Amino acid sequence: MEFPRKSVQEVEIDHLLAEEFACDQLFAQRFLVGCGLGSMDFATTTVIVEPSLGGEGLGDLLIQGEVGANRVALLIEDKISAAPGVRQAKRYHAYAERLRAQGWDAVWTILVAPAGYTGERKSYDASIDLELVETLIVSKNTRRQDYRRSIIHRAIRKRTETGVKIPDEALHRMKSEYLEFAATWCVTKGLAFNFPFLRASYYDGDSWVEPIRHARLPAHVTLRHRLWTSVKEPGGQVDIIASPADERERARFVENAPEGAIVSPFSRGRGVQVSLRLPEMRQASGFNRETTSAAFSAMSELVDWYLHNGHDGRLPEGSSR
């Protein structure tokens, strides 16, 4: 299973908190008081960013410390704009149980999130508002303090402006059926396509299935299926993308494009793509076998075209098979 990628703001705050725990011993005590756990005279010993949760994905922070002679661990989940991942709190609790079984005297699961965030707040052992965490960052160097507090302040402001992303269950279901059908279709047709893993969550607007690879294509050439292309213009699309692509390869794409295909730049001109239009597929209508079969046939057509007309066997600089 592939877990959702974190936002840039969440990654930045993960590292900000990691440094505070590692470099300011009193920060952990202020933090725990803010969580309602009391300072416990906690002394940080080790800080781990993105700890493995024992086969259940990655966490955000694992803070290991001591309270007197006792070993205590804090498993921290940082949220700003993303909704809860699949079984996220349960995965944290399961790993906390494993740590206790390994001899840790106490393990707390803690959610750090803006005050307006609901999510799975009650499913963690404790939680603390990000607005409060901002005030807990203290330094004798006021410029350093203000700068580090501003990182959190910007993240909260962006969250207020953009809101919380809610997973789209209908889209997740549609992509799950899509990938199951893809596996069966490849075996039945004897084709060597490699599709991405199903992600834990999808959000409205996640209209692409990518990257899709084929065993006979060079590494810099991939496929993607756009289930829909825009709100205003109904329609789906299958692309074969060469990136990076040198001038010679771009010229071949333009000069030898299949009939009815659309040739356009990719990644601000770094590459080039050839596209075939298809009917669209959206959450409201759900998974459609006929549309998906047509997409896979279009992919096969584009692979055959590329191998026989789209290139001359040479690869652009920086790419490999």
Side-chain angles (χ1 to χ4, degrees), residues 58 206 238:
L58 301 176
D206 285 344
V238 166

Side-chain angles (χ1 to χ4, degrees), residues 213-261:
R213 301 187 181 278
H214 188 278
R216 296 184 64 194
L217 293 177
H220 76 292
V221 179
T222 59
L223 297 145
R224 74 176 170 189
H225 181 189
R226 297 186 65 178
L227 305 179
W228 67 90
T229 56
S230 70
V231 175
K232 296 181 179 180
E233 183 181 359
Q237 185 170 295
V238 166
D239 310 314
I240 188 166
I241 302 164
S243 182
D246 58 23
E247 291 298 329
R248 181 175 298 180
E249 189 163 35
R250 281 194 284 268
R252 284 194 299 274
F253 268 53
V254 173
E255 295 167 2
N256 300 315
E259 183 178 354

Side-chain angles (χ1 to χ4, degrees), residues 178 181 225 227 236 238 278-281 286-297:
Y178 178 104
F181 181 73
H225 181 189
L227 305 179
V238 166
L278 297 161
E280 70 176 11
M281 190 163 57
F287 175 73
N288 184 288
R289 292 172 62 94
E290 289 71 26
T291 298
T292 307
S293 294
F296 295 163
S297 295

Side-chain angles (χ1 to χ4, degrees), residues 10 40 48 76 118 142 148 156 165 184 189 227 230-233 250-251 282 297-298 307:
E10 287 173 348
M40 300 189 294
I48 302 173
I76 298 173
T118 52
T142 56
R148 296 178 71 75
I156 295 172
K165 295 176 70 177
T184 302
K189 301 292 184 179
L227 305 179
S230 70
V231 175
K232 296 181 179 180
E233 183 181 359
R250 281 194 284 268
R282 293 181 185 264
S297 295
L307 293 175

Side-chain angles (χ1 to χ4, degrees), residues 48 50-64 73-76 87-104 106-109 125:
I48 302 173
E50 289 194 342
S52 170
L53 299 182
E56 291 282 359
L58 301 176
D60 287 343
L61 288 172
L62 171 59
I63 311 300
Q64 300 175 344
L74 312 176
L75 272 171
I76 298 173
R87 297 173 32 251
Q88 197 157 53
K90 289 184 179 179
R91 290 189 285 112
Y92 270 69
H93 276 293
Y95 190 61
E97 286 297 328
R98 290 184 61 175
L99 290 179
R100 295 185 190 104
Q102 293 171 11
W104 288 84
V107 183
W108 299 90
T109 63
D125 295 324

Side-chain angles (χ1 to χ4, degrees), residues 34-230:
C35 292
L37 297 173
S39 73
M40 300 189 294
D41 291 326
F42 183 93
T44 300
T45 55
T46 306
V47 175
I48 302 173
V49 179
E50 289 194 342
S52 170
L53 299 182
E56 291 282 359
L58 301 176
D60 287 343
L61 288 172
L62 171 59
I63 311 300
Q64 300 175 344
E66 298 173 345
V67 177
N70 295 322
R71 294 197 305 160
V72 178
L74 312 176
L75 272 171
I76 298 173
E77 170 65 18
D78 168 33
K79 286 293 184 187
I80 299 174
S81 59
V86 176
R87 297 173 32 251
Q88 197 157 53
K90 289 184 179 179
R91 290 189 285 112
Y92 270 69
H93 276 293
Y95 190 61
E97 286 297 328
R98 290 184 61 175
L99 290 179
R100 295 185 190 104
Q102 293 171 11
W104 288 84
D105 297 290
V107 183
W108 299 90
T109 63
I110 300 171
L111 175 69
V112 178
Y117 183 90
T118 52
E120 296 182 304
R121 187 181 290 270
K122 294 182 179 179
S123 299
Y124 290 84
D125 295 324
S127 68
I128 183 171
D129 293 344
L130 198 53
E131 292 87 345
L132 176 57
V133 174
E134 180 183 344
T135 69
L136 302 182
I137 296 176
V138 178
S139 174
K140 293 180 180 179
N141 184 328
T142 56
R143 289 189 63 183
R144 176 186 182 278
Q145 174 181 288
D146 292 346
Y147 174 78
R148 296 178 71 75
R149 286 183 175 183
S150 71
I151 294 173
I152 295 179
H153 185 76
R154 286 197 308 271
I156 295 172
R157 186 179 62 209
K158 183 169 184 179
R159 185 262 183 186
T160 302
E161 294 171 352
T162 59
V164 176
K165 295 176 70 177
I166 304 300
D168 189 323
E169 294 183 5
L171 183 55
H172 188 277
R173 183 166 53 252
M174 187 172 76
K175 290 202 177 185
S176 176
E177 293 179 37
Y178 178 104
L179 293 172
E180 287 178 6
F181 181 73
T184 302
W185 189 85
C186 286
V187 171
T188 302
K189 301 292 184 179
L191 296 172
F193 284 102
N194 185 4
F195 289 84
F197 291 110
L198 182 70
R199 284 174 20 200
S201 299
Y202 294 98
Y203 306 95
D204 186 29
D206 285 344
S207 64
W208 297 352
V209 178
E210 67 169 351
I212 303 167
R213 301 187 181 278
H214 188 278
R216 296 184 64 194
L217 293 177
H220 76 292
V221 179
T222 59
L223 297 145
R224 74 176 170 189
H225 181 189
R226 297 186 65 178
L227 305 179
W228 67 90
T229 56
S230 70

Side-chain angles (χ1 to χ4, degrees), residues 216-218 220-221 242 248-249 252-253 256 303-316 321:
R216 296 184 64 194
L217 293 177
H220 76 292
V221 179
R248 181 175 298 180
E249 189 163 35
R252 284 194 299 274
F253 268 53
N256 300 315
V303 170
D304 289 341
W305 166 80
Y306 181 84
L307 293 175
H308 294 99
N309 300 290
H311 81 127
D312 60 4
R314 297 174 56 185
L315 301 180
R321 291 190 186 277

